[in-house]
Amino acid sequence: MNNIWGDMAQYDPVVWNWIIAVYLFMAGLSAGSLLVAIGLRWYKEKRGLPVEGLPVIKASALIGPLAICAGMGLLVLDLTKPFQFYLILINYNLTSVMAWGVIALLVYIPLVFLYAALVFERPLVARMPALAGLLKVARTLEGTLLKVIFALALAVGVYTGFLLSAMISYPILNTAVLPALFLASALSVGSAGNILVATLFFNKKASDCIEQVHRIEYPVAFNEALCLVLLFVGLNFSGPAAQAATAAITTGTWASVFWVGVVGLGLAVPVLASVFTPAKLKHSRGFLIAVSCCTILGVLSLRHFVVYAGQSYIS
């Protein structure tokens, strides 16, 4: 008997589910948060401005390690045999994108914790004096460490896009635009996450964060939108299977997620709010929190759209 006999509607094409989408989101949030914070630090240091105690940098020291650990935890739980995850760490196929991603994460994760320890050095040493010697050595190498962490964060930001683009049977996923889209959206959500955490926990006035919102918002939103346009224009000029995949943004549930979540909340609302909101309100905590939450929800919608809609159309 043919084992695929019957109505094809009974066969779900989705193999990677919401857990993978959230993992991709968390990895992008962690990487983007550190890219924005380290970039801001270099910008201020170059101009002789103080960086000690900057709320956005403190926020990145929380978001960076917590987000990537949460994402990795979800990824392990999604494995068929989660207690054998260590096998991925000792068996490498260097022709695989996933193997290179694992190597990058193995170096990235401990360095992110070291970065956080340096940011919160004073309270940490006060509670755990044994760390004073280690952090003193790390402080002397801080400049090099920041460069390595920045490079690894960049790798993590694009790695998730390369991982999906290696799936050659799926037109939406198998495109060179996807890594650039994931990096742009990682910068977007990283900036928003830093502003949100800084505003809620590290900055009473909140006005100090507004500079970062304006500096990152427009160029990142433009590049993210450009990547989306290039993705679907490229599909439209490819073969019949790829052209059929453009229906992902015109019909069905995921089309609604795309237009309401990705385009509406993630791109249109933050940009329009910044353009039309009076200057006084832009310095309010409510404005920063609302705009940051919209951006975060937009990027989360993008990850779900790419994972689910991407697997729904097969060439």
Side-chain angles (χ1 to χ4, degrees):
M1 179 182 291
N2 188 341
N3 60 358
I4 62 169
W5 178 83
D7 186 357
M8 287 303 296
Q10 65 182 299
Y11 301 104
D12 188 357
V14 176
V15 177
W16 288 359
N17 56 18
W18 66 269
I19 293 179
I20 301 302
V22 175
Y23 158 68
L24 297 175
F25 169 79
M26 288 295 185
L29 174 60
S30 175
S33 173
L34 289 173
L35 287 171
V36 170
I38 293 173
L40 172 67
R41 177 176 180 142
W42 288 340
Y43 172 84
K44 286 186 173 293
E45 287 178 343
K46 187 175 181 181
R47 285 156 180 77
L49 300 173
V51 296
E52 183 71 24
L54 196 66
V56 169
I57 293 179
K58 287 184 177 180
S60 71
L62 287 181
I63 294 173
L66 292 179
I68 194 63
C69 286
M72 294 303 295
L74 286 172
L75 193 61
V76 169
L77 289 176
D78 189 57
L79 295 174
T80 304
K81 298 179 179 179
F83 295 108
Q84 295 184 14
F85 76 93
Y86 65 90
L87 294 175
I88 302 174
L89 308 179
I90 59 177
N91 295 295
Y92 293 101
N93 175 12
L94 296 182
T95 62
S96 168
V97 176
M98 185 176 293
W100 285 106
V102 170
I103 293 171
L105 288 169
L106 276 176
V107 182
Y108 173 78
I109 292 174
L111 288 183
V112 169
F113 276 95
L114 183 58
Y115 168 85
L118 288 173
V119 172
F120 296 111
E121 181 177 6
R122 291 180 182 177
L124 190 61
V125 170
R127 288 177 176 271
M128 304 175 67
L131 293 176
L134 173 63
L135 294 181
K136 185 177 180 180
V137 174
R139 184 68 70 182
T140 61
L141 301 172
E142 188 175 17
T144 302
L145 283 172
L146 288 177
K147 292 176 183 178
V148 174
I149 293 170
F150 189 90
L152 288 170
L154 192 63
V156 171
V158 298
Y159 147 72
T160 52
F162 278 116
L163 182 63
L164 292 179
S165 66
M167 301 176 69
I168 60 175
S169 299
Y170 301 90
I172 294 178
L173 302 179
N174 186 222
T175 169
V177 178
L178 203 59
L181 174 61
F182 271 36
L183 179 59
S185 60
L187 289 170
S188 179
V189 73
S191 175
N194 285 347
I195 298 302
L196 180 62
V197 173
T199 302
L200 288 174
F201 301 108
F202 298 117
N203 192 8
K204 295 180 180 179
K205 295 181 179 179
S207 58
D208 294 339
C209 296
I210 201 69
E211 177 187 358
Q212 287 76 55
V213 174
H214 287 303
R215 287 187 181 277
I216 296 295
E217 187 175 34
Y218 297 114
V220 169
F222 173 79
N223 282 288
E224 189 176 344
L226 179 62
C227 288
L228 287 170
V229 171
L230 291 174
L231 173 63
F232 285 99
V233 168
L235 289 174
N236 193 55
F237 286 99
S238 300
Q243 291 174 357
T246 59
I249 60 172
T250 59
T251 60
T253 302
W254 294 108
S256 300
V257 171
F258 178 81
W259 291 109
V260 176
V262 179
V263 177
L265 287 176
L267 296 174
V269 170
V271 172
L272 292 176
S274 295
V275 172
F276 295 106
T277 301
K280 291 183 179 180
L281 292 179
K282 288 182 181 180
H283 293 265
S284 67
R285 289 169 60 88
F287 174 83
L288 293 174
I289 292 170
V291 169
S292 297
C293 287
C294 285
T295 301
I296 291 169
L297 289 173
V299 175
L300 184 59
S301 299
L302 174 63
R303 294 298 196 268
H304 278 81
F305 172 81
V306 169
V307 169
Y308 280 91
Q311 293 178 88
S312 298
Y313 296 87
I314 304 174
S315 60

